[in-house]
Amino acid sequence: MNGLTIADALATKFAPGTITPPSGYPAMRASTARLPNNIPTSPWVLVTLTKGEVVLGVQELNHALEFHVVFHYAKQTGDTPRDMAGMLSWLGVLLAACFADMDLGVSGIRKAYPTTYDLVVATYGGSEFYGWDITWIVDFNEAQAMTP
């Protein structure tokens, strides 16, 4: 299992040009599973693997990987009503990002799907953004020779 490969594949689902923004709102500017040195222009997504679980099967490992997809929408602009309208408009788009390709194009992934989401004030590089922290579960299976 390569966590970075899976994280990169999940981040690709939110990349510019692959996700359509809600009408009247800016397009996605960046999506990455690699911590950027500089803060991208918003909106942008950061994907991190926060924890996982492994269940032993018969000659296989079944992983349930918990990723956090943190959507950084806008620095606090002073126009809170517009910022919140934008956040609510983006939510459905973000939640549906993988439904057309739930295996993310990676061998061994059975499905990737969102489970929970929280409205957050995300801090990155000393800047605060309104955002969504969306928990995604990735079910991954790999063959593994085992001996007692």
Side-chain angles (χ1 to χ4, degrees):
M1 191 233 2
N2 185 323
L4 182 58
T5 297
I6 297 169
D8 282 343
L10 184 56
T12 297
K13 297 302 177 186
F14 302 94
T18 62
I19 191 166
T20 302
S23 180
Y25 292 96
M28 189 70 70
R29 304 293 176 86
S31 179
T32 185
R34 299 156 193 257
L35 298 175
N37 288 324
N38 297 310
I39 299 170
T41 302
S42 63
W44 65 285
V45 164
L46 178 62
V47 176
T48 56
L49 175 59
T50 57
K51 66 181 176 178
E53 178 179 315
V54 178
V55 176
L56 296 177
V58 178
Q59 300 298 313
E60 68 180 5
L61 299 175
N62 296 301
H63 300 264
L65 306 171
E66 182 178 301
F67 286 89
H68 282 254
V69 172
V70 180
F71 174 67
H72 298 79
Y73 176 64
K75 291 184 180 179
Q76 296 180 2
T77 64
D79 188 354
T80 304
R82 176 162 170 72
D83 292 342
M84 289 301 106
M87 290 290 299
L88 293 171
S89 296
W90 265 101
L91 182 59
V93 172
L94 297 167
L95 293 174
C98 293
F99 290 155
D101 182 21
M102 293 181 75
D103 69 1
L104 307 179
V106 175
S107 179
I109 293 180
R110 291 191 310 264
K111 61 184 175 265
Y113 54 95
T115 58
T116 62
Y117 49 91
D118 294 296
L119 178 67
V120 296
V121 176
T123 302
Y124 193 84
S127 294
E128 290 184 340
F129 295 83
Y130 291 119
W132 290 111
D133 182 347
I134 304 171
T135 301
W136 284 75
I137 300 298
V138 176
D139 293 329
F140 181 79
N141 176 279
E142 64 182 329
Q144 179 66 55
M146 297 177 212
T147 56

